[in-house]
Amino acid sequence: MKPNQPSRATPTTINQDGSRKFLHPADVKGFFTTYRRIFALLLIGIYVSLPWIPINGHPAVFLDVLNRRFHLFGLSFAAQDLWMAFFFITGLGFTLFFITALLGRVWCGWACPQTVFLEHVYRRIERWIEGDAAARKKLDKQAWDNEKIIKRVVKNGIFFAFSALIAHLFLAYFISIPELYHWMTSSPKEHWGAFLFVFIASSIIFVNFAWFREQLCLVICPYGRLQSALIDDDTLIIGYDEKRGEPRGSAKKKDIGDCVDCTRCVQVCPTGIDIRQGLQMECIGCANCIDACDTIMAKLNRPKGLIRYDSQNGLAGQKRRYLRPRTFIYAALMLIGAAAFTLSAMQLRSANMNVVRMSGAPYFLSDAGVRNQYMVRVINKTNETKTYRIISAAEGQTYTMEGNEDGITVPPMGEEVRPVIISVPRAHYSGQFPLTLSLLAPDGETVIMTREAEFLGPNARLWKEHSAAK
């Protein structure tokens, strides 16, 4: 091993004296780099566009936490619908498990926001201002003269501007673009909480991408540590063909492998590892080393693929299995989660109703009969004012319901809480009974949803005996 080369036994970003070793990956061009950049720009475009795209009167993704309304691609969810999030989140989790078992850490290298913004925004700005890897290393060691101060100030100023932009767009997912613009053009005193949030979020994003960088993947993110449990010898990874590459040596020598030990694969690695030492937790699957090695092989008129996407079995010359027990299990769990969420979403209603008993006595007695009091909350999840009616039903019972005579008018995306009183005449009371309350659509016929309640009262026989004794 050459001096100062990374080793599997030591962290790649810590010097021998324990200080932080700042990485400056060299730039690389090639097939995978080109398509990763296109895919990253597409993902950034989606992130920027979603708050601007209207669907059914709301942004494509609008998490209105303040009003407890959540809009996802035309579907509107109230707080009472959050139980569906269980199926959505578990479905996403098992999707990630399935993709990892099949394709390794393709998420980390191609779609993770940390990788997307760091590699395709912040490091591009850094290379534009400070130069290539060699120039950046030289600048690190350079004294704080005018050149270094100007470059660092300009770079970090642009970094913070982009960090603030990312933070503002993130906030737009929760308050909408028009509201964000209104808050931005108002005094910070009027919305000091949001102002403070954006400042803190911008600062955290700035520190992460300007200084912390790959440490997030190496120290904080648990995904790299989970991969040992999620992958096997047939999972697609980035690996070095040791049979073909060893022994290493100069290209002019004979009877050696194809690896000329140029360390180009190490120079371009964003986490500073040497992929030739085998699969490592720090590898994020970005394919920089593949493009770097393929470029060298092309110059030497040798076949590409010395470092390539392959399974550990494939690198060992064995056949790779795509279908195996873990992929079937993860795929089945992924489909179950997706199916459960889809079926739940298909049953979404345009309004919700909750029924709770009013605090205080469970029932009230009078000469007229028994009275129960409920609080009914009606939530309108549409963009128009709606008037709903509530009807009740109980088999074999005679009673009256008050508080719903003129219907309940609810504003767009709003809610109304009304008391509903149900009374049973004394002559018809025979004991407590189950009650069904139904919410009718504005057409007066369509039942949107029903809720079960219990009509409570005294023991009918004892009540009559007590009344007779009086």
Side-chain angles (χ1 to χ4, degrees), residues 127-152:
R127 290 183 177 114
W128 172 58
I129 295 173
E130 297 185 352
D132 59 17
R136 296 197 302 275
K137 291 177 183 178
K138 181 180 178 181
L139 189 65
D140 281 350
K141 298 177 181 179
Q142 186 174 318
W144 283 92
D145 54 12
N146 290 336
E147 178 191 9
K148 185 172 182 177
I149 292 173
I150 292 173
K151 287 185 176 180
R152 290 292 163 88

Side-chain angles (χ1 to χ4, degrees), residues 391 438-441 443 445-450:
I391 61 173
S438 301
L439 180 68
L440 292 185
D443 61 12
E445 297 180 359
T446 305
V447 176
I448 298 176
M449 67 181 308
T450 61

Side-chain angles (χ1 to χ4, degrees), residues 368-372 374 390-402 420-431 433-438 451 453 455:
V370 185
R371 185 176 82 251
N372 278 206
Y374 305 91
I390 299 173
I391 61 173
S392 60
E395 187 175 352
Q397 299 293 334
T398 301
Y399 57 88
T400 59
M401 183 170 67
E402 305 172 31
V420 170
I421 301 172
I422 296 181
S423 304
V424 176
R426 184 173 187 144
H428 296 106
Y429 180 73
S430 59
F433 56 89
L435 184 70
T436 299
L437 297 177
S438 301
R451 294 294 186 194
F455 187 91

Side-chain angles (χ1 to χ4, degrees), residues 196-232:
L196 185 62
F197 167 80
V198 168
F199 178 77
I200 294 175
S202 301
S203 300
I204 292 174
I205 295 171
F206 169 75
V207 170
N208 174 45
F209 289 118
W211 179 77
F212 202 57
R213 296 192 165 185
E214 73 285 337
Q215 297 300 303
L216 183 71
C217 305
L218 304 182
V219 179
I220 295 179
C221 181
Y223 185 47
R225 292 163 177 82
L226 286 174
Q227 69 170 334
S228 60
L230 298 176
I231 69 174
D232 56 22

Side-chain angles (χ1 to χ4, degrees), residues 448-466:
I448 298 176
M449 67 181 308
T450 61
R451 294 294 186 194
E452 301 297 325
E454 188 78 13
F455 187 91
L456 302 179
N459 182 284
R461 182 180 62 81
L462 295 178
W463 187 33
K464 290 179 179 179
E465 291 177 356
H466 178 73

Side-chain angles (χ1 to χ4, degrees), residues 69-302:
R69 302 289 185 271
F70 309 93
H71 309 279
L72 298 174
F73 303 103
L75 297 176
S76 295
F77 301 85
Q80 292 80 3
D81 301 319
L82 283 182
W83 59 272
M84 298 182 191
F86 170 79
F87 301 106
F88 180 72
I89 294 172
T90 53
L92 283 181
F94 285 117
T95 299
L96 185 61
F97 286 4
F98 172 73
I99 292 175
T100 303
L102 199 64
L103 303 176
R105 294 184 67 175
V106 66
W107 160 260
C108 293
W110 289 72
C112 176
Q114 175 74 6
T115 302
V116 168
F117 284 110
L118 177 59
E119 297 298 322
H120 304 286
V121 177
Y122 287 85
R123 278 199 167 126
R124 303 311 303 172
I125 295 172
E126 188 172 62
R127 290 183 177 114
W128 172 58
I129 295 173
E130 297 185 352
D132 59 17
R136 296 197 302 275
K137 291 177 183 178
K138 181 180 178 181
L139 189 65
D140 281 350
K141 298 177 181 179
Q142 186 174 318
W144 283 92
D145 54 12
N146 290 336
E147 178 191 9
K148 185 172 182 177
I149 292 173
I150 292 173
K151 287 185 176 180
R152 290 292 163 88
V153 169
V154 171
K155 181 187 76 170
N156 287 291
I158 297 176
F159 277 3
F160 194 83
F162 269 92
S163 300
L165 179 61
I166 293 172
H168 279 84
L169 283 170
F170 180 76
L171 183 60
Y173 279 85
F174 297 88
I175 64 172
S176 79
I177 290 291
E179 191 70 11
L180 175 64
Y181 179 75
H182 172 68
W183 289 9
M184 290 173 63
T185 54
S186 303
S187 171
K189 294 181 180 180
E190 297 182 17
H191 307 284
W192 64 268
F195 180 83
L196 185 62
F197 167 80
V198 168
F199 178 77
I200 294 175
S202 301
S203 300
I204 292 174
I205 295 171
F206 169 75
V207 170
N208 174 45
F209 289 118
W211 179 77
F212 202 57
R213 296 192 165 185
E214 73 285 337
Q215 297 300 303
L216 183 71
C217 305
L218 304 182
V219 179
I220 295 179
C221 181
Y223 185 47
R225 292 163 177 82
L226 286 174
Q227 69 170 334
S228 60
L230 298 176
I231 69 174
D232 56 22
D233 290 343
D234 291 300
T235 300
L236 189 69
I237 61 171
I238 293 178
Y240 166 67
D241 190 341
E242 189 173 348
K243 289 184 177 181
R244 176 185 155 188
E246 300 296 325
R248 308 170 197 172
S250 171
K252 298 179 180 180
K253 293 183 180 180
K254 298 182 179 180
D255 300 325
I256 62 169
D258 281 347
C259 179
V260 296
D261 205 15
C262 64
T263 70
R264 181 64 178 166
C265 56
V266 179
Q267 296 169 21
V268 301
C269 180
T271 57
I273 67 168
D274 187 344
I275 194 63
R276 298 171 297 175
Q277 296 175 9
L279 181 62
Q280 298 161 65
M281 183 274 291
E282 296 87 350
C283 177
I284 62 171
C286 66
N288 280 1
C289 54
I290 297 179
D291 284 337
C293 187
D294 284 350
T295 301
I296 299 299
M297 292 296 105
K299 291 180 178 179
L300 297 175
N301 293 320
R302 296 180 181 180

